[in-house]
Amino acid sequence: MKRFLPMLLATTLIAGLQATAQNAVPEISFDSVANPLTLPDDIYLGEVGGVAANSRGEIFVYTRTGHPTVSLGSSRAFAHGGSRLFQFDRTGKFIREIGQESYGFMFAQQVRIDPQDNIWIVDQMSGYVMKLDPTGHVLMLLGRKPEAITVPAPAPRGGGGGGGRGGALPGAGNSSDVFNRPTDVAWDAAGNIFVADGIGNTRIAKFNSKGVFIKSWGSTGTGPGLFGSVLAIAVDAQGNVYAADGGNKRIQVFDNNGTFKTQYTNVGTPAALCITPGPNQFLYSSNSNPPEDIDVAGEIYKMKLDGTLVGKFGRAGKLPKEFGTVNSIDCRSETNLLVGEIGNMRVQKLTLH
Amino acid sequence: MKSFLACVSTIALLLGGSHAFAQQKATAQNVPEISYTSAPNFLKIPAGETLGEAVGVATNSKGHVFVYHRSANTRLWEFDKNGVFVKEIGKGYYGFEFAHSVRVDAQDNIWTVDEGTNTVTKFSPEGKFLMVLGRRPPAVDGAVATANGPNPPAQKYIFCRPTDVGWDPQGNIFVSDGYCNNRVVKFDKNGRFLAQAGSEKSGNGPGEFNLPHGLQVDGQGNVWVADRSNNRYQVLDNNLKPKTTYTNLGVGWTVCVSPGPHQYVFASNSNPNGNGPGTWDNTGEIYKLELDGTILGKFGHASKELGGFQVVHMMDCRNPNEIVVGEIESWRVQKLILQPAPAKPSNAR
């Protein structure tokens, strides 16, 4: 306890200083391109879990839409549906849907495109991290969907809820590729795969490019290398891993083997990360507002990889240039971003000045 | 055990029934009957399609009719002014699960209120998504059993089975919310929270609600609320402060305010779900009022036949002489042509 107190004081002091620094963060002026996506009349985006562009500028949107469904079967209830993956050309014109009726598409969490233009899907409910080839066929799966879901008995109102999720398979957690509400995926230059297994579990799992499990680090806590939650992940050209520790309001940086290096605590609650490509890399981090409140937070930070704040832009709200719980950022171009929003069920294409 | 159960349910029926009868019968006296006809075969449903519970109905400035209904999936259909099917809107939309209300604003935007997803959605006149208020409970949180006990505290931007939406002349948005909150919420036109009346708790004082089930805003910005389980209508001012209460119109199921310089209010004392014995004698009529509460007349009655109603859930009154009604327990939408009101001003109260 004695040791803990001075630490706490120090933390408070640092937090105070950083809050001051935050006020001095320059505003980046920006515009939002009107109607960046053209949808057919019979297709509606729902909550946008993920948005990403490939090398040709084609845009992929993984969205919670349609009807999440529970079917009654032999002694059990089966859940399916609820999310769809759409592909648009670089002008935002709808091209096609990918993965109709997929067993793994339930609660869209993220889509990322790797350097070979493979499409990676992270589904928070089915627990899959799916690698699709550029044409949309499944190449590799990490994780497995729980066979059935639990339908709970009535609980007292306001009792916290969430008790009904039968998500985690027995044994889910460390040292396996079974995830519990995974949130994001990233790769290093060698093709190693990093999965943020980040809400039901609080860890990062590393696999080689063939999907062989290498290691896992992190558990619930507040110290270095521990997580409140891992809401997003990004890897820089040197192979360092940046984890959005939303639960602890910080970004943690690890080396390629998961050794803690440093942390950035002045960017609110990071919920979406993106690192630009090229020799001079930047990190974008969204201090996303909680879905139940648009009167707080919402801004996106631009940082150098060492944590130096370059600027910030935007705020929570429903208008263009406002954000409703950003869950995804694409920064293939440093000045032309795509952001996917949960609260506003849309994608915005931003031009930073 | 069996006899015990039967006994309990009988008592419940008796208690619930008598209680309901006593309060649902409107106390307004000497109300003139407005005669009307129901246009036969008003909506032409496309072959192979089925209309479900027609809980939401609204028209736009061109007379197009929007029907938000509960079929296998909840769906939103557009018909032209002659009742010819135009198109479906919102197919597969994430905010459609259990329809409750559809309304069309002054710019012809289409708004849906879905009590199965806790969302209020604004579509453009062409049916493109524009804005959503509220949030569907995440499926990843798991299957949800009906909770018991007190409602959790209401949150500014989260609805609990919302029921209806309206706008004042400035475009501010008003939402009645709902079955498991008991409040009316005001947002600005961009969806930012401004104020609320009521809370998650039900109550029967002024500005409190017990299942606010329908809502519309008049030209002065006053908010008319069908306070269903309190068997009354409440009128709030534009800042949601209570102004007036009407307790003489039976159950407050749903309300409609006609546009234009001389506005009328239509209020439905809908017959209750389940058609309990005797309910048809006491309920089912719709009242026409002035904005000051003066009753001009009434029309309609509970019946399964055309011209009668089976739980009117919503009315459109863009033309106060042509009322479009959607019913729950008959899967239909009727267009009622009202005859001119009686020449003599009524003294009904």
Side-chain angles (χ1 to χ4, degrees), chain A residues 240-260:
Chain A
N240 298 307
V241 180
Y242 298 73
D245 183 2
N248 291 324
K249 295 181 178 297
R250 64 182 177 183
I251 296 169
Q252 292 195 64
V253 186
F254 303 91
D255 73 11
N256 196 261
N257 293 310
T259 304
F260 175 84

PDB file of all heavy atoms in Angstrom, chain A residues 240-260:
ATOM      1  N   ASN A 240       6.698  -3.161 -34.002  1.00  0.00           N
ATOM      2  CA  ASN A 240       6.147  -2.827 -32.687  1.00  0.00           C
ATOM      3  C   ASN A 240       4.623  -2.894 -32.727  1.00  0.00           C
ATOM      4  O   ASN A 240       4.002  -2.566 -33.740  1.00  0.00           O
ATOM      5  CB  ASN A 240       6.582  -1.425 -32.257  1.00  0.00           C
ATOM      6  CG  ASN A 240       8.085  -1.333 -32.110  1.00  0.00           C
ATOM      7  OD1 ASN A 240       8.701  -2.132 -31.406  1.00  0.00           O
ATOM      8  ND2 ASN A 240       8.679  -0.368 -32.815  1.00  0.00           N
ATOM      9  N   VAL A 241       4.060  -3.304 -31.598  1.00  0.00           N
ATOM     10  CA  VAL A 241       2.617  -3.521 -31.523  1.00  0.00           C
ATOM     11  C   VAL A 241       1.989  -2.437 -30.653  1.00  0.00           C
ATOM     12  O   VAL A 241       2.391  -2.245 -29.504  1.00  0.00           O
ATOM     13  CB  VAL A 241       2.306  -4.914 -30.936  1.00  0.00           C
ATOM     14  CG1 VAL A 241       0.809  -5.139 -30.856  1.00  0.00           C
ATOM     15  CG2 VAL A 241       2.971  -5.997 -31.772  1.00  0.00           C
ATOM     16  N   TYR A 242       0.997  -1.722 -31.209  1.00  0.00           N
ATOM     17  CA  TYR A 242       0.283  -0.665 -30.490  1.00  0.00           C
ATOM     18  C   TYR A 242      -1.101  -1.192 -30.145  1.00  0.00           C
ATOM     19  O   TYR A 242      -1.855  -1.604 -31.028  1.00  0.00           O
ATOM     20  CB  TYR A 242       0.167   0.587 -31.367  1.00  0.00           C
ATOM     21  CG  TYR A 242       1.515   1.164 -31.738  1.00  0.00           C
ATOM     22  CD1 TYR A 242       2.321   0.520 -32.681  1.00  0.00           C
ATOM     23  CD2 TYR A 242       1.984   2.334 -31.159  1.00  0.00           C
ATOM     24  CE1 TYR A 242       3.568   1.027 -33.015  1.00  0.00           C
ATOM     25  CE2 TYR A 242       3.223   2.854 -31.484  1.00  0.00           C
ATOM     26  CZ  TYR A 242       4.016   2.201 -32.410  1.00  0.00           C
ATOM     27  OH  TYR A 242       5.248   2.690 -32.743  1.00  0.00           O
ATOM     28  N   ALA A 243      -1.424  -1.189 -28.865  1.00  0.00           N
ATOM     29  CA  ALA A 243      -2.698  -1.743 -28.413  1.00  0.00           C
ATOM     30  C   ALA A 243      -3.548  -0.648 -27.779  1.00  0.00           C
ATOM     31  O   ALA A 243      -3.081   0.068 -26.883  1.00  0.00           O
ATOM     32  CB  ALA A 243      -2.461  -2.871 -27.411  1.00  0.00           C
ATOM     33  N   ALA A 244      -4.781  -0.520 -28.242  1.00  0.00           N
ATOM     34  CA  ALA A 244      -5.721   0.439 -27.653  1.00  0.00           C
ATOM     35  C   ALA A 244      -6.315  -0.188 -26.401  1.00  0.00           C
ATOM     36  O   ALA A 244      -7.218  -1.018 -26.484  1.00  0.00           O
ATOM     37  CB  ALA A 244      -6.815   0.788 -28.659  1.00  0.00           C
ATOM     38  N   ASP A 245      -5.763   0.187 -25.262  1.00  0.00           N
ATOM     39  CA  ASP A 245      -6.230  -0.336 -23.971  1.00  0.00           C
ATOM     40  C   ASP A 245      -7.355   0.578 -23.492  1.00  0.00           C
ATOM     41  O   ASP A 245      -7.167   1.415 -22.611  1.00  0.00           O
ATOM     42  CB  ASP A 245      -5.046  -0.372 -22.996  1.00  0.00           C
ATOM     43  CG  ASP A 245      -5.411  -0.965 -21.642  1.00  0.00           C
ATOM     44  OD1 ASP A 245      -6.575  -1.385 -21.465  1.00  0.00           O
ATOM     45  OD2 ASP A 245      -4.540  -0.990 -20.761  1.00  0.00           O
ATOM     46  N   GLY A 246      -8.509   0.414 -24.106  1.00  0.00           N
ATOM     47  CA  GLY A 246      -9.634   1.304 -23.826  1.00  0.00           C
ATOM     48  C   GLY A 246     -10.013   1.317 -22.360  1.00  0.00           C
ATOM     49  O   GLY A 246     -10.303   2.363 -21.784  1.00  0.00           O
ATOM     50  N   GLY A 247      -9.997   0.153 -21.747  1.00  0.00           N
ATOM     51  CA  GLY A 247     -10.405   0.047 -20.349  1.00  0.00           C
ATOM     52  C   GLY A 247      -9.512   0.854 -19.424  1.00  0.00           C
ATOM     53  O   GLY A 247      -9.944   1.293 -18.356  1.00  0.00           O
ATOM     54  N   ASN A 248      -8.253   1.038 -19.819  1.00  0.00           N
ATOM     55  CA  ASN A 248      -7.324   1.828 -18.996  1.00  0.00           C
ATOM     56  C   ASN A 248      -7.001   3.182 -19.616  1.00  0.00           C
ATOM     57  O   ASN A 248      -6.066   3.870 -19.170  1.00  0.00           O
ATOM     58  CB  ASN A 248      -6.019   1.047 -18.770  1.00  0.00           C
ATOM     59  CG  ASN A 248      -6.225  -0.151 -17.866  1.00  0.00           C
ATOM     60  OD1 ASN A 248      -7.015  -0.113 -16.930  1.00  0.00           O
ATOM     61  ND2 ASN A 248      -5.532  -1.239 -18.161  1.00  0.00           N
ATOM     62  N   LYS A 249      -7.749   3.563 -20.642  1.00  0.00           N
ATOM     63  CA  LYS A 249      -7.575   4.874 -21.278  1.00  0.00           C
ATOM     64  C   LYS A 249      -6.116   5.132 -21.668  1.00  0.00           C
ATOM     65  O   LYS A 249      -5.530   6.164 -21.315  1.00  0.00           O
ATOM     66  CB  LYS A 249      -8.071   6.002 -20.354  1.00  0.00           C
ATOM     67  CG  LYS A 249      -9.572   5.947 -20.088  1.00  0.00           C
ATOM     68  CD  LYS A 249     -10.002   7.102 -19.195  1.00  0.00           C
ATOM     69  CE  LYS A 249     -11.502   7.112 -18.955  1.00  0.00           C
ATOM     70  NZ  LYS A 249     -12.285   7.311 -20.191  1.00  0.00           N
ATOM     71  N   ARG A 250      -5.541   4.209 -22.393  1.00  0.00           N
ATOM     72  CA  ARG A 250      -4.152   4.403 -22.826  1.00  0.00           C
ATOM     73  C   ARG A 250      -3.851   3.538 -24.048  1.00  0.00           C
ATOM     74  O   ARG A 250      -4.561   2.564 -24.328  1.00  0.00           O
ATOM     75  CB  ARG A 250      -3.195   4.022 -21.684  1.00  0.00           C
ATOM     76  CG  ARG A 250      -3.281   2.536 -21.332  1.00  0.00           C
ATOM     77  CD  ARG A 250      -2.358   2.185 -20.172  1.00  0.00           C
ATOM     78  NE  ARG A 250      -2.534   0.754 -19.809  1.00  0.00           N
ATOM     79  CZ  ARG A 250      -1.911   0.177 -18.796  1.00  0.00           C
ATOM     80  NH1 ARG A 250      -1.093   0.866 -18.034  1.00  0.00           N
ATOM     81  NH2 ARG A 250      -2.113  -1.109 -18.538  1.00  0.00           N
ATOM     82  N   ILE A 251      -2.812   3.928 -24.746  1.00  0.00           N
ATOM     83  CA  ILE A 251      -2.248   3.084 -25.785  1.00  0.00           C
ATOM     84  C   ILE A 251      -0.978   2.479 -25.215  1.00  0.00           C
ATOM     85  O   ILE A 251      -0.119   3.207 -24.696  1.00  0.00           O
ATOM     86  CB  ILE A 251      -1.924   3.903 -27.054  1.00  0.00           C
ATOM     87  CG1 ILE A 251      -3.216   4.469 -27.654  1.00  0.00           C
ATOM     88  CG2 ILE A 251      -1.181   3.039 -28.074  1.00  0.00           C
ATOM     89  CD1 ILE A 251      -2.958   5.502 -28.757  1.00  0.00           C
ATOM     90  N   GLN A 252      -0.865   1.165 -25.267  1.00  0.00           N
ATOM     91  CA  GLN A 252       0.367   0.511 -24.840  1.00  0.00           C
ATOM     92  C   GLN A 252       1.161   0.094 -26.070  1.00  0.00           C
ATOM     93  O   GLN A 252       0.596  -0.362 -27.059  1.00  0.00           O
ATOM     94  CB  GLN A 252       0.063  -0.721 -23.997  1.00  0.00           C
ATOM     95  CG  GLN A 252      -0.554  -0.409 -22.643  1.00  0.00           C
ATOM     96  CD  GLN A 252      -0.498  -1.610 -21.703  1.00  0.00           C
ATOM     97  OE1 GLN A 252       0.573  -2.068 -21.326  1.00  0.00           O
ATOM     98  NE2 GLN A 252      -1.670  -2.113 -21.341  1.00  0.00           N
ATOM     99  N   VAL A 253       2.471   0.241 -25.976  1.00  0.00           N
ATOM    100  CA  VAL A 253       3.346  -0.150 -27.078  1.00  0.00           C
ATOM    101  C   VAL A 253       4.222  -1.313 -26.621  1.00  0.00           C
ATOM    102  O   VAL A 253       4.817  -1.261 -25.534  1.00  0.00           O
ATOM    103  CB  VAL A 253       4.230   1.031 -27.531  1.00  0.00           C
ATOM    104  CG1 VAL A 253       5.022   0.646 -28.780  1.00  0.00           C
ATOM    105  CG2 VAL A 253       3.378   2.271 -27.799  1.00  0.00           C
ATOM    106  N   PHE A 254       4.267  -2.343 -27.446  1.00  0.00           N
ATOM    107  CA  PHE A 254       5.068  -3.534 -27.154  1.00  0.00           C
ATOM    108  C   PHE A 254       6.032  -3.778 -28.304  1.00  0.00           C
ATOM    109  O   PHE A 254       5.776  -3.363 -29.440  1.00  0.00           O
ATOM    110  CB  PHE A 254       4.160  -4.768 -27.011  1.00  0.00           C
ATOM    111  CG  PHE A 254       3.110  -4.629 -25.961  1.00  0.00           C
ATOM    112  CD1 PHE A 254       1.853  -4.119 -26.278  1.00  0.00           C
ATOM    113  CD2 PHE A 254       3.357  -4.998 -24.644  1.00  0.00           C
ATOM    114  CE1 PHE A 254       0.867  -3.981 -25.313  1.00  0.00           C
ATOM    115  CE2 PHE A 254       2.383  -4.863 -23.676  1.00  0.00           C
ATOM    116  CZ  PHE A 254       1.132  -4.358 -23.997  1.00  0.00           C
ATOM    117  N   ASP A 255       7.117  -4.482 -27.992  1.00  0.00           N
ATOM    118  CA  ASP A 255       7.946  -4.911 -29.110  1.00  0.00           C
ATOM    119  C   ASP A 255       7.290  -6.114 -29.769  1.00  0.00           C
ATOM    120  O   ASP A 255       6.213  -6.555 -29.359  1.00  0.00           O
ATOM    121  CB  ASP A 255       9.394  -5.165 -28.664  1.00  0.00           C
ATOM    122  CG  ASP A 255       9.545  -6.434 -27.836  1.00  0.00           C
ATOM    123  OD1 ASP A 255       8.587  -7.257 -27.764  1.00  0.00           O
ATOM    124  OD2 ASP A 255      10.622  -6.609 -27.239  1.00  0.00           O
ATOM    125  N   ASN A 256       7.969  -6.660 -30.744  1.00  0.00           N
ATOM    126  CA  ASN A 256       7.362  -7.718 -31.556  1.00  0.00           C
ATOM    127  C   ASN A 256       7.080  -8.998 -30.757  1.00  0.00           C
ATOM    128  O   ASN A 256       6.285  -9.831 -31.169  1.00  0.00           O
ATOM    129  CB  ASN A 256       8.280  -7.999 -32.752  1.00  0.00           C
ATOM    130  CG  ASN A 256       7.575  -8.791 -33.835  1.00  0.00           C
ATOM    131  OD1 ASN A 256       7.722  -9.996 -33.924  1.00  0.00           O
ATOM    132  ND2 ASN A 256       6.764  -8.104 -34.649  1.00  0.00           N
ATOM    133  N   ASN A 257       7.727  -9.123 -29.612  1.00  0.00           N
ATOM    134  CA  ASN A 257       7.511 -10.320 -28.793  1.00  0.00           C
ATOM    135  C   ASN A 257       6.635 -10.048 -27.582  1.00  0.00           C
ATOM    136  O   ASN A 257       6.516 -10.880 -26.697  1.00  0.00           O
ATOM    137  CB  ASN A 257       8.864 -10.875 -28.338  1.00  0.00           C
ATOM    138  CG  ASN A 257       9.654 -11.394 -29.521  1.00  0.00           C
ATOM    139  OD1 ASN A 257       9.140 -12.163 -30.331  1.00  0.00           O
ATOM    140  ND2 ASN A 257      10.893 -10.932 -29.640  1.00  0.00           N
ATOM    141  N   GLY A 258       6.047  -8.859 -27.537  1.00  0.00           N
ATOM    142  CA  GLY A 258       5.106  -8.586 -26.468  1.00  0.00           C
ATOM    143  C   GLY A 258       5.723  -7.979 -25.223  1.00  0.00           C
ATOM    144  O   GLY A 258       5.065  -7.882 -24.188  1.00  0.00           O
ATOM    145  N   THR A 259       6.973  -7.565 -25.304  1.00  0.00           N
ATOM    146  CA  THR A 259       7.593  -6.894 -24.160  1.00  0.00           C
ATOM    147  C   THR A 259       7.152  -5.432 -24.134  1.00  0.00           C
ATOM    148  O   THR A 259       7.267  -4.721 -25.132  1.00  0.00           O
ATOM    149  CB  THR A 259       9.129  -6.966 -24.263  1.00  0.00           C
ATOM    150  OG1 THR A 259       9.503  -8.341 -24.369  1.00  0.00           O
ATOM    151  CG2 THR A 259       9.780  -6.347 -23.037  1.00  0.00           C
ATOM    152  N   PHE A 260       6.652  -5.023 -22.986  1.00  0.00           N
ATOM    153  CA  PHE A 260       6.145  -3.654 -22.844  1.00  0.00           C
ATOM    154  C   PHE A 260       7.268  -2.645 -23.084  1.00  0.00           C
ATOM    155  O   PHE A 260       8.362  -2.771 -22.530  1.00  0.00           O
ATOM    156  CB  PHE A 260       5.567  -3.470 -21.432  1.00  0.00           C
ATOM    157  CG  PHE A 260       5.132  -2.069 -21.129  1.00  0.00           C
ATOM    158  CD1 PHE A 260       3.881  -1.618 -21.514  1.00  0.00           C
ATOM    159  CD2 PHE A 260       5.975  -1.181 -20.465  1.00  0.00           C
ATOM    160  CE1 PHE A 260       3.476  -0.315 -21.233  1.00  0.00           C
ATOM    161  CE2 PHE A 260       5.581   0.115 -20.184  1.00  0.00           C
ATOM    162  CZ  PHE A 260       4.327   0.541 -20.572  1.00  0.00           C
TER     163      PHE A 260
END
